[in-house]
Amino acid sequence: MRVTVGSATDVGRVRSDNEDSFLADLPVLAVADGMGGHAAGEVASALTVEALSALAGRDDLDVPELVRQLGRANDSILASARSHPEQEGMGTTVAGVALVSAGDGDGRQWAVFNVGDSRVYEQTGSGLVQVTVDHSLVQELVDAGVLSAEEAAWHPSRNVVTRSLGREPMVDVSVSTLPLRPGQRLVVCSDGLSDELDAAAVESVLRASPDAERAARALVEAALDAGGHDNVTVLVVDVTE
Ligand code: MN
C-alpha cells in the first residue's frame, strides 16, 4: 500500500505568529500546536516535531518507541524552558498517526496518538469520525454528561487543555491502533481547523478534493474563510493500493 500526504498551515487572520508545527515524514505524520508567550509556543511545537523526525525512515517502529519519543519531546521542552527563562510555561499539544508493526509479522497498522486537543479524523462511509478523544476541560464535561457535544463546541472554555507536552516530567499519551486499508483517508489537524469547521463542513471539503495536497489547502482556506481566529494546520493522508 502507498501513503500520500498533503499538508498546509497558515497563521490565520488574527494571530501574528504561527505557533503550529507539523511533520509529514513517514512513518510519523503529526501536528503540534504550541502555546506560551514570547513566541515560546513555536519553540515547544518545533521541539516536538524535531524529536519525532528522529524516527523518519524507520520501517520497524512500534508503539512503545513512539511513546518514548514523545517522552523525549517532553523532556526537551522542559530542558529548554529551564535554560531560557522567557520560555517558562511553554507547551504544546500533539496529534498524529504513525505506521507501526501490526504484531503479526509483516503487516503494518496505524498508531493514532494525541496529547491535548489536536485531532485525528477518519473519513468513513457514514461520515467523518473523530478518532482521537480531546484532553480538554469541555471533553471531560461531555464525558460527565454535563455538556452536549454541541455546547462544548461553543463553550467559552473550549480551548482549555488538560494535557500537554512541557507541563510535567511524565507525559500521558493516548494511543489507539487503526487498520491500514486502501481508500482510507485520515485528517490530522490543530484546533484552528476544528474550532472553525464542524465535522460535516470538513467532510464536504474533503469530498470536493480527491487530491491530498489540494484537500489540505482547501481545508485551511475554509478555516480562514470561517474566521481564521487561530493558527491552522492540516495534514490529509490517503492510503492507496
Ligand atoms: Mn490552536
Side-chain angles (χ1 to χ4, degrees), residues 36 56 88 115 133 164 193 222 225 230 232 241:
E88 199 194 330
V115 178
V133 178
S164 54
L193 180 74
D225 290 345
D230 194 4
V232 53
E241 199 74 75

Short mmCIF file of all heavy atoms in Angstrom, two decimals, residues 36 56 88 115 133 164 193 222 225 230 232 241:
data_model
loop_
_atom_site.label_atom_id
_atom_site.label_comp_id
_atom_site.label_asym_id
_atom_site.label_seq_id
_atom_site.Cartn_x
_atom_site.Cartn_y
_atom_site.Cartn_z
N GLY A 36 2.35 29.56 24.67
CA GLY A 36 3.33 30.20 25.54
C GLY A 36 3.71 31.56 24.99
O GLY A 36 3.71 31.75 23.78
N ALA A 56 12.14 9.34 11.35
CA ALA A 56 11.90 9.33 9.89
C ALA A 56 12.64 8.18 9.22
O ALA A 56 13.79 7.91 9.53
CB ALA A 56 12.33 10.66 9.29
N GLU A 88 9.51 29.96 29.98
CA GLU A 88 8.84 29.27 31.09
C GLU A 88 7.34 29.15 30.83
O GLU A 88 6.70 30.12 30.42
CB GLU A 88 9.08 30.04 32.40
CG GLU A 88 8.82 29.16 33.61
CD GLU A 88 8.72 29.97 34.90
OE1 GLU A 88 9.36 31.02 34.99
OE2 GLU A 88 7.95 29.53 35.78
N VAL A 115 -1.94 14.16 22.56
CA VAL A 115 -1.83 14.77 23.88
C VAL A 115 -2.44 16.15 23.71
O VAL A 115 -1.92 16.94 22.92
CB VAL A 115 -0.36 14.90 24.35
CG1 VAL A 115 -0.28 15.58 25.71
CG2 VAL A 115 0.33 13.53 24.39
N VAL A 133 -9.65 11.34 21.20
CA VAL A 133 -10.52 11.99 22.20
C VAL A 133 -9.71 13.14 22.80
O VAL A 133 -8.59 12.91 23.31
CB VAL A 133 -10.94 10.99 23.30
CG1 VAL A 133 -11.80 11.70 24.35
CG2 VAL A 133 -11.70 9.82 22.70
N SER A 164 -0.77 18.37 28.05
CA SER A 164 0.08 18.94 27.00
C SER A 164 1.51 18.49 27.25
O SER A 164 1.84 18.00 28.33
CB SER A 164 0.00 20.47 27.01
OG SER A 164 0.30 20.97 28.30
N LEU A 193 -8.51 24.35 12.87
CA LEU A 193 -9.48 23.80 11.91
C LEU A 193 -10.76 23.41 12.64
O LEU A 193 -11.86 23.85 12.26
CB LEU A 193 -8.92 22.57 11.19
CG LEU A 193 -9.89 21.97 10.18
CD1 LEU A 193 -9.99 22.83 8.93
CD2 LEU A 193 -9.53 20.54 9.80
N ALA A 222 -10.79 27.06 3.98
CA ALA A 222 -12.14 27.08 4.56
C ALA A 222 -12.10 27.58 6.00
O ALA A 222 -13.00 28.32 6.43
CB ALA A 222 -12.75 25.67 4.49
N ASP A 225 -11.70 31.30 5.79
CA ASP A 225 -12.98 31.92 5.39
C ASP A 225 -13.96 31.96 6.54
O ASP A 225 -14.82 32.83 6.62
CB ASP A 225 -13.61 31.13 4.22
CG ASP A 225 -12.82 31.32 2.92
OD1 ASP A 225 -11.99 32.25 2.86
OD2 ASP A 225 -13.03 30.52 1.99
N ASP A 230 -7.39 31.39 14.72
CA ASP A 230 -6.21 30.75 15.31
C ASP A 230 -5.31 30.28 14.16
O ASP A 230 -5.73 30.24 13.00
CB ASP A 230 -6.68 29.55 16.15
CG ASP A 230 -5.60 28.99 17.08
OD1 ASP A 230 -4.49 29.56 17.16
OD2 ASP A 230 -5.89 27.96 17.72
N VAL A 232 -3.79 27.58 11.86
CA VAL A 232 -4.48 26.36 11.38
C VAL A 232 -3.50 25.50 10.59
O VAL A 232 -2.78 26.00 9.72
CB VAL A 232 -5.76 26.71 10.58
CG1 VAL A 232 -5.46 27.69 9.46
CG2 VAL A 232 -6.41 25.46 10.01
N GLU A 241 -3.79 1.44 -2.94
CA GLU A 241 -3.23 0.08 -3.17
C GLU A 241 -1.85 0.18 -3.81
O GLU A 241 -1.63 1.01 -4.66
CB GLU A 241 -4.18 -0.68 -4.10
CG GLU A 241 -3.99 -2.17 -4.07
CD GLU A 241 -4.55 -2.80 -2.80
OE1 GLU A 241 -5.78 -2.93 -2.67
OE2 GLU A 241 -3.73 -3.18 -1.94
#
